[in-house]
Amino acid sequence: MKTLLATTLLVLSLVAAPLQAQEDTIRVGMSGQYFPFTFVEQDTLKGFEVDVMNAVAKEMGREVEYQTAAFSGLFGMLGAGRIDTVANQITITEERQKAYTFSEPYVYDGAQVVIKQGNEDINGVEDLKGKTVAVNLGSNFEALLRNLPYADEIDIKTYDSNIERDTALGRVDAFVMDRVSASQIIKEKPLPLELAGPTFSQITNAYPFKDTEEGRALRDEVNAALSALRDKGTLREISEEWFGTDITAP
Amino acid sequence: MGALDVDYMLGLVPVLLGYLPLTLQLASLGMVLALILACLFAVIRVLRIPVLNQFTIVFISFFRGTPLLVQLFLFYYGLPQLFSALTVIDGITATIMGLTMHFSAYMAESIRAAIVGVDRSQTEAALSIGMTNGQLMRRIILPQATRVALPTLMNYFIDMIKATSLAFTLGVTELMGATQKEASGSFLYFEAFIVAAVMYWIVVEMLSWLQSNLESRLNKAYSR
């Protein structure tokens, strides 16, 4: 009975914890499931996004509070004011610009088709006709696929995570993601995958904010920090550490 | 057939154990609240209290008739859209709300059945010797109903522990969420999920043992 009471009190205290973040904290959402941008190892949140956001927050003189959730839930959290921005390789698109305001881009990348090693049938995006392709739900890559002129001939399967796995297992013929992390997964992880053809769409990624007075003020603050970090060479350093190349400049 | 990375699995055990308390807290709190709610519903249904009875019937019908995941998304993503003040419902709160309402709907029916299952002649006997309704419930019906309902309620609790794994979709990192994140960083899916599966399994086994202990204690009065 005592433990039950203690548990109840503990949970109640958790539930009652103040949701309104401190003035000087920036609340950042990420999936924690997008190697090597945001991932977890031995309970520690790591990745390019974490390093960049830590540097940005330090530059702004703020604390960072990370909140992880499934990718498809992140924009819902941003819209509901549960987080201030998303650090998850969010690509700037017309659709999203209608709903959010974006910081300056801090990653320049391309969309990439990835296949199981030894798959001779697919050598680029035009070979996806009649194939089953995995993509992250709500991601820009899903939109890119759906906007292809022959989209109705592709069987698009949306996932919240683990698209690399299903491709390696041969359950789907290919997945579409950004070139940078796809290359990194192929290099470092035990999955039999390979890139198929060149990138088929250039993408620029930035931090989305709510299009409100507060959101725009925070965006300007983040922009100032990003350009300071760019001038210092910090962005380039972080990128080279993770990818061996600079993906933070066009 | 690849080899299993045993070192990785062993390294994961302490990490994932750290998330077990949250899983158990979500389930315990959900269970306590669901029990309270379910008892209320059961009494309302047994006594057929007007208006409340109709409300309870609709409530139970809705929460039994829709998937738990849909309910969680309604509380967490849906309500704040209608009433912006409801952003105060964070992932943990929404999970506990969802578990409470979903499982109380099921439990209300099994508690009601247990109460109704106590033979009517006992009620008549109790009332004829001048017991009040409250005394009748406390002394005659509930002790017997508890014994009947216990196995079913325990089953719901076990179900609830496993249902907490849906909380990850609301951004709550409990045991399943932590496992999913570790797995998508290492790409060692089998290793990660088998460790989590065994943890859930051990917890449920411990509860089953507790249940049989409780049952034999409750049955003492009835054994001949």
Side-chain angles (χ1 to χ4, degrees), chain B residues 7 11 17 25 28-29 32-33 39 48 59 64 78 88 97 109 112 121-122 128 143 160 168 175 183 188 203 216:
Chain B
D7 284 348
L17 270 181
Q25 281 163 15
S28 325
L29 197 62
V32 172
L33 295 173
C39 286
R48 297 213 177 84
F59 182 99
R64 283 211 307 185
V88 302
M97 278 169 68
E109 289 299 279
R112 187 177 68 95
S121 60
Q122 297 196 25
S128 73
M160 197 184 285
F168 178 56
L175 184 50
L188 296 169
V203 168
S216 56

Side-chain angles (χ1 to χ4, degrees), chain A residues 11 19 43 68 82 161 189, chain B residues 19 29 89 180-182:
Chain A
V11 175
L19 276 168
D43 223 11
T68 50
R82 296 178 190 282
S161 57
K189 298 295 171 179
Chain B
Y19 287 92
L29 197 62
I89 302 175
Q180 169 71 307
K181 276 190 268 184
E182 296 282 350

Side-chain angles (χ1 to χ4, degrees), chain B residues 133-198:
Chain B
N133 264 334
Q135 285 174 319
L136 161 75
M137 268 288 166
R138 259 199 325 275
R139 296 183 184 181
I140 310 289
I141 295 191
L142 287 182
Q144 300 183 76
T146 309
R147 184 175 148 254
V148 174
L150 183 81
T152 329
L153 295 180
M154 206 61 176
N155 258 345
Y156 286 132
F157 185 45
I158 286 170
D159 246 356
M160 197 184 285
I161 288 175
K162 292 178 294 188
T164 55
S165 62
L166 295 173
F168 178 56
T169 53
L170 311 187
V172 180
T173 308
E174 37 56 73
L175 184 50
M176 170 67 193
T179 311
Q180 169 71 307
K181 276 190 268 184
E182 296 282 350
S184 50
S186 67
F187 291 87
L188 296 169
Y189 292 87
F190 189 85
E191 285 89 337
F193 287 113
I194 199 74
V195 170
V198 168

Side-chain angles (χ1 to χ4, degrees), chain A residues 58-121:
Chain A
K58 196 170 154 198
E59 192 67 33
M60 298 194 307
R62 288 176 181 257
E63 297 285 307
V64 202
E65 183 196 311
Y66 291 109
Q67 295 191 21
T68 50
F71 179 78
S72 55
L74 290 173
F75 278 107
M77 289 168 78
L78 183 62
R82 296 178 190 282
I83 49 178
D84 300 316
T85 188
V86 179
N88 212 99
Q89 291 303 292
I90 302 301
T91 301
I92 303 174
T93 64
E94 264 178 54
E95 280 290 290
R96 287 173 179 162
Q97 274 174 316
K98 284 178 197 150
Y100 307 97
T101 175
F102 277 91
S103 72
E104 292 299 310
Y106 62 99
V107 166
Y108 298 81
D109 201 349
Q112 175 71 49
V113 177
V114 186
I115 50 175
K116 186 177 178 175
Q117 235 166 37
N119 182 343
E120 308 274 314
D121 300 343

